[in-house]
Amino acid sequence: MGALDEGHYHSEIENEVNLELGFEVQPETVAIKDAVKVLLQGLGEDINREGIKKTPFRVAKALREGTRGYKQKVNDIVHGALFPEAGLEGGSGQAGGVGGLVIVRDLDLFSYCESCLLPFQVKCHVGYVPSGQRVVGLSKLSRVADIFAKRLQSPQRLANEICAGLQNGIKPTGVAVVLQCSHIHFPNFETAFLDSTPQGWVKILVTSGSGVFEDEKADVWTDFLSLLKFRGISIESAHPRLSDQSWCPSQSCGRLGQANSAITNAVLSILKSLGEDPSREELVGTPSRFVKWFMNFSNSNLEMKLNGFVRSRIDTRIHPGQVGSFKDGICSELNLSFWSQCEHHLLPFQGVVHIGYYSLDGLNPVGRALLQSVVHFYGFKLQVQERLTRQIAETVSLLLGEDIIVVVEANHTCMISRGIEKFGSNTATFAVLGRFSTDPAARAKFLQSLPDSCSAGK
Amino acid sequence: MGALDEGHYHSEIENEVNLELGFEVQPETVAIKDAVKVLLQGLGEDINREGIKKTPFRVAKALREGTRGYKQKVNDIVHGALFPEAGLEGGSGQAGGVGGLVIVRDLDLFSYCESCLLPFQVKCHVGYVPSGQRVVGLSKLSRVADIFAKRLQSPQRLANEICAGLQNGIKPTGVAVVLQCSHIHFPNFETAFLDSTPQGWVKILVTSGSGVFEDEKADVWTDFLSLLKFRGISIESAHPRLSDQSWCPSQSCGRLGQANSAITNAVLSILKSLGEDPSREELVGTPSRFVKWFMNFSNSNLEMKLNGFVRSRIDTRIHPGQVGSFKDGICSELNLSFWSQCEHHLLPFQGVVHIGYYSLDGLNPVGRALLQSVVHFYGFKLQVQERLTRQIAETVSLLLGEDIIVVVEANHTCMISRGIEKFGSNTATFAVLGRFSTDPAARAKFLQSLPDSCSAGK
């Protein structure tokens, strides 16, 4: 077929976006790459190892792309997309270009948390009341929202800036913005080994209004929220507005210790390279908060736990007599939570681990807590999901016998906050050892026991 | 804040994507623009009127961007994104870089139907079994799928090409692809005025497998589908594979009449400009099918219906005595279906119209069928949703009195199949006349009566 004769394609590095000419040698790119090398070394990593040697470039590209909103202007977006549209011909009321609410719902965006530098997800709903006999192309509401999302933000400021941007750009009778924001939970490293409940996401709903929406008790808000409500959105929390000062888990993850100054300076350098002012109030503590979260993924932090783990393993191997008879013998520990850090993009991925094994008495001979420790041991470092899955399987096989199945289900921050922006996508990886690799019925039995809903997130 | 001092932004026309230099004057762009002008004239439109004068360029840009996959190569995507990853250290089984299923679920894509040239939505699930001690970056599964989605496709060929592309690009032990495709229903113009049931989408599920997945009865398929199943995907229809020859409604929308040859030739010109071969089997009937669907939105087609409508309107005004007493008097006709064509992008938008009015006896004095006709009358033409809403409200106020509320809820094909790709987003527009514009309680009562779920689609 002629159409499949592929022409020459000018590929950029990794092909993720069309980069500007010279992107790689721009001072901001170089500065971020250098800073990321410091971060990697701070984790005790070899920055030349395969897998992470291109990570500094990937991170620089993702961060600069993900904050491109600093360089974008609302008027460039809406210019040429304001269309003349008549209002009512007669009678009293609102419709068309001189009134009549226009709503675009369920726009998926992501933004960067100014408190910890991690991306957060945004479900954005925008409404406006046209005036001046003109309406704006519907897609522009999404594009304008994206200008402000692609910056370091807090949810409330993001809502306010989208609202003000649209108000100034379109000059309508009023603009209303409702954002449902979801932020990844931070691992509490100290307690993560004891509590294996998957934590989902920190969520907040914020609103902002201008013009006829400026008064949050105005009836037009009721109209707007009515049409969101029946899309399954709870609006109880919309009024009064929640404070978003403390929504980011970094604000409540305990006192900041003495941070490594080289690493903190590297984060400062990144902030500057993105065009931010690190001395603005909301950003002053950001480098320290970032470092506190980030250093959870340092290899060395886990040596202590490893020691405890090795001891448990030996104990278990000494007392095999614990195992008795039980039905067909397939047992499972489901929904063990994990946090990890994608070594390709230095972005978290989190989710759940399901482990299947054989036990004649139906009992887990080593206890759920030890399995959770194994999961955290391999999770709290720079990883890829495939390796994490294999390492858990190999280690668990020393504890629970050679017949093991491990399924890891995860949400990858890097799948939403970079070029592909695949909101809602998620991943599953398998490892099968011993009987589980040769017995499809055993695999099927285990897979059917997995929980129905995606415990990995949301 | 320093960061909000917006720098200079090199804006392209409408800012939707970074266009190649000279995109606007390339012969393919010019040819598509010229062809779109013929299409617009074929609908009886004035190609210089505000609102559509830039439509030829918008359509050319969307079509060329949306079929950019013809120029992309799998190897450019996966090159540099294959990472060394060890397999199991000991024991029997599969995991890591030498086995162990890797699945990425719920990737939202869109493609173009080769049968009618309209975009269709794709929920894509990809699995592969690594080999050769290497794994591919997870996002590349999405990027490779997108290369093949951004072409004129049928669901089965799309699945096969994604599968073959990944198999050749990554050379794993096997690749499995499951696609859930959704195609807009075509209006059956002749019967649409009688049947007002919202039709949702035509759906099909297709699968493709290579390597260990080549045998669709292989146990590894069971593993793969198990992990899709518990995400709420029905797999009953996955085996045996459905034929997708007839999934597109254009294949069953009746005999093709004598098509306008200028318009048909314009569509042929578009196919060639996209790099396609219009003589390949699947495309031979495409121009005629496109024209049949497209001409539904010709203004002139509706004169006959307009005549009938005007007569009914007069009848109603003559017999106001039909209206009696009934509670507070707010009545509604909900979920009147509509099809329309976005005049900015020549892409369909469809959904439902809800109409509220006052009636003392609780009866609709003109009948649901007439309201449905009004909706179709304003729907079946080049439109914007704001105008459609106003026109319906104004006309209905002549039939049902001056107190009218109209809510239009729609899915816009142009919101998913162009630059912003906002899958799942949808729009709502309001018109309020008379008492509904001044009485918030009346609006609230009507809005609360709207159906809970999005009847507009899915």
Side-chain angles (χ1 to χ4, degrees):
Chain A
M1 187 177 63
L4 284 176
D5 297 341
E6 295 176 327
H8 182 63
Y9 180 62
H10 293 279
S11 71
E12 303 290 348
I13 293 178
E14 288 210 23
N15 273 317
E16 298 193 349
V17 284
N18 291 317
L19 297 175
E20 302 162 57
L21 207 61
F23 174 88
E24 199 166 358
V25 295
Q26 288 170 358
E28 296 87 349
T29 308
V30 173
I32 298 176
K33 281 171 64 176
D34 289 344
V36 173
K37 286 176 190 167
V38 174
L39 296 180
L40 290 171
Q41 285 164 331
L43 292 182
E45 286 283 354
D46 168 10
I47 61 172
N48 293 314
R49 81 165 164 89
E50 204 72 41
I52 65 171
K53 66 184 183 188
K54 283 190 195 161
T55 296
F57 177 73
R58 288 189 202 97
V59 174
K61 188 152 73 67
L63 279 174
R64 293 197 66 198
E65 271 293 314
T67 56
R68 64 176 179 267
Y70 289 124
K71 295 180 181 165
Q72 295 175 313
K73 288 182 174 174
V74 173
N75 285 340
D76 290 334
I77 300 286
V78 299
H79 179 71
L82 286 166
F83 299 98
E85 199 56 53
L88 286 172
E89 285 175 10
S92 68
Q94 294 102 39
V98 288
L101 192 47
V102 176
I103 300 174
V104 175
R105 302 177 285 216
D106 295 325
L107 296 165
D108 285 312
L109 307 171
F110 79 89
S111 188
Y112 279 94
C113 175
E114 65 184 10
S115 179
C116 68
L117 293 187
L118 285 178
F120 62 95
Q121 273 186 264
V122 182
K123 186 78 81 174
C124 173
H125 316 281
V126 179
Y128 81 102
V129 178
S131 73
Q133 305 231 329
R134 55 185 200 168
V135 298
V136 70
L138 295 171
S139 68
K140 304 310 177 220
L141 300 176
S142 174
R143 290 189 184 281
V144 169
D146 199 53
I147 287 183
F148 298 103
K150 292 286 192 292
R151 302 179 182 194
L152 305 189
Q153 287 287 9
S154 75
Q156 187 60 59
R157 186 191 310 110
L158 176 57
N160 293 346
E161 290 185 357
I162 294 170
C163 186
L166 288 169
Q167 183 69 44
N168 295 333
I170 311 175
K171 302 208 177 3
T173 304
V175 175
V177 175
V178 171
L179 306 181
Q180 298 170 282
C181 300
S182 305
H183 193 303
I184 192 173
H185 268 286
F186 278 24
N188 185 330
F189 186 75
E190 284 73 26
T191 63
F193 283 77
L194 302 172
D195 177 15
S196 64
T197 314
Q199 287 194 279
W201 303 80
V202 183
K203 300 203 172 199
I204 194 172
L205 187 151
V206 293
T207 67
S208 187
S210 63
V212 291
F213 289 97
E214 194 155 345
D215 173 8
E216 59 187 41
K217 292 189 179 63
D219 296 315
V220 68
W221 264 112
T222 308
D223 299 343
F224 178 51
L225 293 173
S226 294
L227 277 176
L228 301 189
K229 186 182 167 195
F230 68 77
R231 298 300 167 218
I233 297 166
S234 164
I235 55 163
E236 273 72 67
S237 51
H239 298 308
R241 291 171 194 167
L242 294 173
S243 157
D244 68 342
Q245 283 304 302
S246 58
W247 93 302
C248 171
S250 73
Q251 299 278 359
S252 57
C253 66
R255 278 189 44 220
L256 298 170
Q258 189 66 34
N260 178 316
S261 65
I263 303 182
T264 310
N265 286 336
V267 181
L268 271 176
S269 160
I270 290 174
L271 289 177
K272 284 181 204 156
S273 301
L274 297 178
E276 266 288 1
D277 171 9
S279 69
R280 78 166 163 96
E281 189 186 354
E282 298 86 349
L283 292 176
V284 167
T286 298
S288 305
R289 286 188 292 265
F290 175 85
V291 170
K292 179 166 169 64
W293 139 257
F294 185 74
M295 292 305 289
N296 276 317
F297 298 94
S298 159
N299 272 310
S300 56
N301 273 354
L302 277 148
E303 291 314 314
M304 179 188 59
K305 294 288 174 186
L306 176 63
N307 292 337
F309 155 67
V310 170
R311 198 163 47 245
S312 301
R313 178 173 58 179
I314 293 166
D315 291 349
T316 306
R317 305 295 287 175
I318 290 171
H319 306 289
Q322 291 170 322
V323 177
S325 68
F326 179 74
K327 292 189 211 155
D328 64 358
I330 297 179
C331 299
S332 59
E333 289 286 350
L334 306 179
N335 284 325
L336 298 158
S337 66
F338 80 92
W339 283 273
S340 197
Q341 187 88 329
C342 166
E343 71 180 28
H344 300 152
H345 306 101
L346 286 196
L347 285 168
F349 62 105
Q350 65 161 168
V352 290
V353 177
H354 312 296
I355 298 173
Y357 58 97
Y358 281 84
S359 163
L360 292 180
D361 62 359
L363 298 175
N364 175 342
V366 299
R368 182 177 174 93
L370 179 56
L371 297 180
Q372 181 65 71
S373 294
V374 171
V375 167
H376 282 320
F377 176 71
Y378 291 110
F380 279 117
K381 56 185 64 168
L382 296 194
Q383 270 288 13
V384 299
Q385 189 175 332
E386 296 89 339
R387 188 188 311 146
L388 173 68
T389 311
R390 172 181 62 79
Q391 289 172 333
I392 292 171
E394 286 183 333
T395 304
V396 167
S397 76
L398 300 176
L399 300 169
L400 297 174
E402 62 194 9
D403 306 312
I404 296 291
I405 182 167
V406 174
V407 173
V408 178
E409 302 193 272
N411 290 294
H412 285 249
T413 314
C414 60
M415 292 286 278
I416 61 148
S417 66
R418 291 164 45 255
I420 67 166
E421 296 195 19
K422 290 301 175 195
F423 302 95
S425 77
N426 57 89
T427 61
T429 44
F430 268 43
V432 281
L433 275 69
R435 263 192 278 181
F436 284 104
S437 67
T438 54
D439 182 355
R443 288 202 301 275
K445 182 168 189 295
F446 171 76
L447 291 173
Q448 281 159 18
S449 76
L450 296 186
D452 241 29
S453 60
C454 185
S455 309
K458 302 301 159 69
Chain B
M1 188 178 63
L4 284 174
D5 296 340
E6 294 175 329
H8 182 64
Y9 181 60
H10 294 278
S11 71
E12 302 289 349
I13 292 177
E14 288 212 23
N15 273 317
E16 296 193 351
V17 285
N18 291 318
L19 297 175
E20 302 161 59
L21 207 62
F23 174 89
E24 198 165 357
V25 295
Q26 288 170 0
E28 297 87 350
T29 308
V30 173
I32 298 175
K33 282 172 63 176
D34 289 344
V36 174
K37 287 175 190 166
V38 173
L39 295 180
L40 290 171
Q41 285 163 333
L43 292 182
E45 286 283 353
D46 168 11
I47 61 171
N48 293 314
R49 81 164 162 90
E50 203 71 40
I52 66 171
K53 66 184 182 186
K54 284 189 194 162
T55 295
F57 177 72
R58 288 190 202 96
V59 174
K61 189 151 74 66
L63 279 174
R64 294 197 67 200
E65 271 294 313
T67 56
R68 64 176 180 267
Y70 289 125
K71 295 181 181 166
Q72 295 176 314
K73 287 182 175 176
V74 172
N75 285 341
D76 290 335
I77 300 284
V78 300
H79 177 72
L82 286 167
F83 300 98
E85 199 56 54
L88 286 173
E89 285 174 10
S92 67
Q94 294 102 39
V98 287
L101 191 49
V102 176
I103 300 173
V104 176
R105 303 178 285 216
D106 295 325
L107 296 167
D108 286 313
L109 307 171
F110 78 89
S111 188
Y112 277 94
C113 175
E114 66 185 9
S115 178
C116 68
L117 293 187
L118 285 179
F120 62 95
Q121 273 186 265
V122 183
K123 186 77 81 174
C124 172
H125 316 280
V126 179
Y128 81 101
V129 178
S131 75
Q133 306 231 327
R134 53 184 201 168
V135 298
V136 70
L138 295 170
S139 68
K140 305 310 175 218
L141 300 175
S142 173
R143 289 188 185 282
V144 169
D146 198 54
I147 287 182
F148 298 103
K150 293 285 191 294
R151 301 178 182 195
L152 305 189
Q153 286 288 7
S154 76
Q156 187 62 57
R157 186 192 307 112
L158 177 56
N160 293 347
E161 290 185 357
I162 294 171
C163 187
L166 287 170
Q167 184 69 44
N168 295 332
I170 310 176
K171 304 211 176 356
T173 303
V175 175
V177 175
V178 171
L179 305 182
Q180 299 170 281
C181 301
S182 305
H183 193 304
I184 193 172
H185 269 285
F186 277 23
N188 185 330
F189 187 74
E190 284 72 27
T191 62
F193 283 77
L194 303 172
D195 177 13
S196 65
T197 313
Q199 288 194 278
W201 304 80
V202 183
K203 299 201 173 204
I204 193 172
L205 186 151
V206 294
T207 67
S208 186
S210 62
V212 291
F213 290 96
E214 193 153 346
D215 175 8
E216 59 188 42
K217 293 189 178 62
D219 296 315
V220 69
W221 265 111
T222 309
D223 299 343
F224 178 53
L225 292 173
S226 294
L227 277 176
L228 301 189
K229 185 184 168 195
F230 68 78
R231 298 298 167 220
I233 297 165
S234 164
I235 55 165
E236 273 72 67
S237 51
H239 299 306
R241 290 171 194 169
L242 295 172
S243 158
D244 68 343
Q245 284 303 303
S246 59
W247 94 301
C248 172
S250 72
Q251 300 279 358
S252 56
C253 66
R255 277 191 43 223
L256 298 171
Q258 189 66 35
N260 178 315
S261 65
I263 302 182
T264 309
N265 286 336
V267 180
L268 271 175
S269 159
I270 290 174
L271 289 177
K272 283 181 206 155
S273 301
L274 297 179
E276 265 290 2
D277 171 8
S279 69
R280 79 167 162 95
E281 188 185 353
E282 298 87 349
L283 292 176
V284 168
T286 299
S288 305
R289 286 188 292 265
F290 176 86
V291 170
K292 179 163 170 66
W293 140 255
F294 186 74
M295 292 307 287
N296 275 317
F297 298 93
S298 157
N299 271 312
S300 55
N301 274 354
L302 278 147
E303 292 313 316
M304 178 188 60
K305 294 289 175 184
L306 176 63
N307 293 337
F309 156 68
V310 170
R311 198 161 48 244
S312 301
R313 178 173 58 177
I314 293 165
D315 290 348
T316 307
R317 304 294 287 173
I318 290 172
H319 305 289
Q322 292 170 322
V323 178
S325 69
F326 179 70
K327 292 190 212 157
D328 63 0
I330 297 178
C331 298
S332 58
E333 288 287 350
L334 305 180
N335 284 324
L336 297 158
S337 67
F338 80 92
W339 282 273
S340 196
Q341 187 89 328
C342 167
E343 72 180 27
H344 300 152
H345 306 101
L346 285 197
L347 284 168
F349 63 103
Q350 66 160 170
V352 290
V353 177
H354 311 296
I355 298 173
Y357 58 98
Y358 280 84
S359 163
L360 291 180
D361 63 0
L363 297 175
N364 175 341
V366 299
R368 182 176 173 95
L370 178 57
L371 297 182
Q372 180 65 69
S373 294
V374 171
V375 167
H376 283 320
F377 176 71
Y378 290 109
F380 278 117
K381 55 184 66 170
L382 297 194
Q383 270 288 13
V384 299
Q385 189 177 331
E386 295 89 339
R387 188 188 311 146
L388 173 68
T389 311
R390 172 180 62 79
Q391 289 173 333
I392 292 171
E394 285 182 335
T395 304
V396 167
S397 75
L398 301 175
L399 300 169
L400 297 174
E402 62 194 10
D403 306 313
I404 295 291
I405 182 167
V406 174
V407 173
V408 178
E409 302 194 272
N411 290 294
H412 285 250
T413 313
C414 61
M415 291 288 275
I416 62 149
S417 67
R418 290 166 43 256
I420 68 167
E421 296 195 20
K422 289 301 175 194
F423 303 95
S425 76
N426 58 90
T427 61
T429 44
F430 268 43
V432 282
L433 274 68
R435 261 191 282 180
F436 284 103
S437 66
T438 54
D439 182 356
R443 291 202 300 275
K445 182 169 188 296
F446 171 77
L447 292 173
Q448 280 160 19
S449 77
L450 296 186
D452 241 29
S453 61
C454 185
S455 308
K458 301 300 159 70

